[in-house]
Amino acid sequence: MSTSRNVTPSRRGILAAGGAVGIGALLAACGGGKDSGGANGDAKTGPWSFTDDRKEKVSLKSTPQRIVAFTGTAAALHDFGIDDQIVGVFGPTKLKNGKPDPQAGDLDVDKVTIIGNAYNQFNVEKYASLRPDLLVTNMYEPGALWFVPDDSKDKITPLAKSVAITSARVPLLKIIERYADLAKSLGADLGAKKVTDAKARFEKASEALRKAAKSHPVKVLACSGSPDLFYASNPGINADLMYYKSLGVDLIVPDHLDKGGYFESLSWENADKYKADVLLLDNRTATLQPKDLAAKPSWAKLPAVKAGQITPWSSEPRFSYAGAAPLIESLTKAIEGAKKTK
């Protein structure tokens, strides 16, 4: 994964949000609290606990039935079979045309309450009104809850227990396994056909990428474009890139990383610093895409661009077998079809 670089200078997810008023009163009116009942008023019997990647043991009187999560996190849990328990999401969920954002995966975005569709839009009062049992999100930097605004986190965190899953500095597969563990604790059946089929596809895709990397040794640069800067991403910290590299993909490692270590910022005049045969280009809605970049002379001169060897990069992957398999297949296809550039 890379950073929200053209939005914020690091992965910390330090997001600004307007203060919310009357949260206590709203909770009282809703009758909500940390250990509120299930979506149907019938919480599962027996205590629930999960130790997250902050090494914090999160405990509740019963299995959480009202979960609010970062959109990509909710989508990953959905892939493992957690559905009705997800009542709200925050983060990129719907595009301007009303269609689901790619980060929403197979989540039914019309079934959940969106409490913030973008950076810095976390609606604290709406969150409180959902009477959440649990908040779940990614953690790119130690202790930082992804897309939970720093300015209002003191209002948000007391409303429900939270679980954070490390999303960087460890390979993709390890994170997927942690999400599987969390989903299982929440009641998912990891032996369900939907899950086992997705895992089999992931494993098959991984083996195909390993073979492609060996038989087509091309240099790949994971990158992102903004109006002023070209970012070369670090395969030593982004979970998906770490995994691809472990399968033998020859990913370029930038030699002058910015603070945080996720990427090297280059002026457009220096966008050709690294000689890549294939560009793995960040495809998030907030980043520039090939049609936007066409006007930049330095972009058009890049060997990979001249060769038409650009492939989309979901730099905030969905941490599930179902979410990751298509990304691996896409990269495999790009590598198999690529030629060495001069």
Side-chain angles (χ1 to χ4, degrees), residues 249-335:
V249 177
D250 187 4
L251 277 152
I252 292 169
V253 181
D255 58 22
H256 195 268
L257 297 170
D258 293 15
K259 186 179 178 183
Y262 284 95
F263 54 84
E264 177 178 355
S265 303
L266 297 166
S267 65
W268 276 106
E269 290 76 13
N270 294 314
D272 61 350
K273 177 177 177 180
Y274 299 106
K275 309 303 178 189
D277 302 309
V278 176
L279 294 180
L280 192 55
L281 182 68
D282 191 343
N283 68 350
R284 289 175 300 168
T285 50
T287 63
L288 298 185
Q289 299 309 301
K291 60 180 175 58
D292 309 309
L293 294 166
K296 293 189 175 293
S298 50
W299 168 259
K301 290 176 184 175
L302 295 177
V305 176
K306 285 181 179 178
Q309 295 178 171
I310 308 164
T311 191
W313 175 33
S314 297
S315 67
E316 290 188 34
R318 201 159 91 235
F319 295 115
S320 67
Y321 299 115
L327 307 182
I328 298 171
E329 290 165 353
S330 174
L331 179 57
T332 301
K333 187 178 178 183
I335 287 175

Side-chain angles (χ1 to χ4, degrees), residues 20-71:
V21 229
I23 298 300
L26 184 54
L27 270 177
C30 295
K34 290 182 184 176
D35 295 325
S36 59
N40 301 317
D42 298 319
K44 292 182 182 179
T45 57
W48 174 86
S49 68
F50 183 82
T51 301
D52 76 356
D53 291 343
R54 296 170 295 183
K55 306 303 179 191
E56 291 183 13
K57 185 175 182 179
V58 182
S59 301
L60 291 169
K61 292 176 183 176
S62 57
T63 303
Q65 297 295 299
R66 301 186 64 79
I67 298 169
V68 174
F70 172 67
T71 303

